[in-house]
Amino acid sequence: MSASVRFRNIYTQFPGGKHKVLTLSYDDGKIPDRRLVSILNEHGIRGTFNLNSGLENNSFDVAYNERIPMAEFTDLYKGHEVACHTATHPTIARTPREQMILQVIEDRRALERIMGYTVRGLAYPNGSVDDNVVDALKACGIRYGRTVNSTHGFGMPGDFLRWDPTCHHADPALFDLADQFIDNHKTQYLYMFYLWGHSYEFERDNNWNIIEKFSKKIENKSDIWYATNIEIVDYLDAASRVQVSVDADFAYNPNSQSVWIEVDKKTIELKGGETTEL
Ligand SMILES: [Zn+2]
């Protein structure tokens, strides 16, 4: 005699059983990154810095356009993610394929040599992306690409190689969106707030108060996961590999890292390499 079928509500959660994530993405690696990183560190906010490895010795007109010396990358960006922004920042969708691939793979190679970890993310320089660029990125082992198209929403992206941010920091809707995100306690979906920009814009536009106010508002929330871009991608990839029995009475996590799931409204941590009873 067989037991009757059991339907259970099982959902992927973020680490610690959370359902909201905040991540930032800042481009070009100019000198004001130092001040931006120190503000983020003070508030426990984390992000991804998209860097051009071929522009270190570029000439600059004003001080805020000078690039951070590559020898400083490891210390400065500790606790954040370093990702590609191509070697010399061309508009890649207009670039011959061979040059496009060289720009991406050379940036990746140079950044990996400095950082000592695999670099698998990218922000499209000048927001330039099309199907050919996405194909080239896949061939270069790049797992996600960030666009410059604001969604004003909190949904998870359908395609990480066309990852649209929530908004730019100078967006007039920024603080309304932040309030909506903080006040959102619905748990039917996973929710993401994704902020992007360039640190030199704070210096140029004399508006560092925006990121200071935003950081104070959104820091230290027990239901928000503060993550870099690649941590989100890697975590969801790991979650997608979890194997749940048809009867939903046990789950096997084949990853080395833990994955959290909600089973009939209860949070369960699935430890890496283990089978867990649900
Ligand atoms: Zn850029």
Side-chain angles (χ1 to χ4, degrees):
M1 197 172 70
S2 62
S4 59
V5 172
R6 179 165 64 154
F7 296 103
R8 306 184 79 181
N9 287 319
I10 303 185
Y11 297 118
T12 300
Q13 295 181 318
F14 287 135
K18 297 173 186 188
H19 67 287
K20 296 197 281 189
V21 63
L22 171 71
T23 195
L24 274 61
S25 177
Y26 275 77
D27 302 353
D28 295 2
K30 294 184 178 177
I31 293 296
D33 269 10
R34 290 178 187 149
R35 181 163 172 188
L36 176 58
V37 169
S38 103
I39 293 168
L40 301 184
N41 289 350
E42 188 186 324
H43 295 280
I45 290 171
R46 303 176 62 233
T48 293
F49 290 84
N50 306 292
L51 308 177
N52 309 106
S53 55
L55 296 178
E56 184 178 29
N57 299 318
N58 238 29
S59 59
F60 51 92
D61 42 3
V62 283
Y64 60 70
N65 276 331
E66 188 184 347
R67 305 269 169 169
I68 300 275
M70 291 170 80
E72 215 180 293
F73 284 5
T74 334
D75 277 349
L76 178 62
Y77 298 114
K78 195 171 178 188
H80 301 274
E81 175 197 1
V82 160
C84 297
H85 199 39
T86 72
T88 65
H89 210 285
T91 307
I92 45 179
R94 294 180 60 198
T95 305
R97 182 184 359 219
E98 293 73 11
Q99 288 302 307
M100 183 205 303
I101 289 171
L102 188 61
Q103 282 281 349
V104 173
I105 206 79
E106 169 52 21
D107 197 38
R108 178 177 167 176
R109 188 190 70 88
L111 295 175
E112 286 180 345
R113 279 173 66 95
I114 295 168
M115 303 311 295
Y117 54 74
T118 52
V119 172
R120 291 167 296 124
L122 177 139
Y124 296 110
N126 309 323
S128 174
V129 55
D130 62 14
D131 290 348
N132 290 327
V133 171
V134 167
D135 284 348
L137 254 51
K138 286 180 185 164
C140 293
I142 298 295
R143 185 64 188 81
Y144 73 82
R146 196 216 74 225
T147 74
V148 295
N149 309 317
S150 298
T151 63
H152 284 191
F154 310 127
M156 299 304 295
D159 177 1
F160 277 112
L161 283 160
R162 295 171 191 277
W163 194 349
D164 295 330
T166 303
C167 69
H168 182 277
H169 68 243
D171 195 310
L174 173 67
F175 291 106
D176 280 348
L177 288 167
D179 285 334
Q180 282 174 37
F181 185 71
I182 291 164
D183 294 339
N184 175 22
H185 299 295
K186 289 189 282 189
T187 56
Q188 293 99 323
Y189 293 94
L190 294 173
Y191 299 97
M192 172 192 73
F193 193 112
Y194 190 132
L195 183 70
W196 82 281
H198 307 83
S199 63
Y200 69 79
E201 294 168 321
F202 296 121
E203 196 72 24
R204 183 193 67 195
D205 304 334
N206 192 25
N207 59 8
W208 283 101
N209 61 309
I210 289 180
I211 194 66
E212 278 158 1
K213 186 177 162 193
F214 176 82
S215 301
K216 272 193 201 122
K217 183 185 272 291
I218 210 155
E219 71 180 338
N220 211 16
K221 304 282 182 229
S222 59
D223 61 349
I224 297 179
W225 178 33
Y226 301 90
T228 68
N229 288 200
I230 198 71
E231 284 173 343
I232 298 171
V233 176
D234 283 346
Y235 179 80
L236 291 175
D237 280 348
S240 74
R241 288 188 291 266
V242 162
Q243 303 159 10
V244 178
S245 67
V246 176
D247 253 341
D249 50 354
F250 64 89
Y252 173 61
N253 175 5
N255 304 285
S256 59
Q257 67 185 110
S258 283
V259 170
W260 282 260
I261 59 172
E262 182 188 304
V263 181
D264 296 334
K265 305 228 178 241
K266 195 175 130 216
T267 293
I268 295 179
E269 178 182 358
L270 306 174
K271 291 219 168 77
E274 294 185 12
T275 295
T276 306
E277 275 188 46
L278 306 181

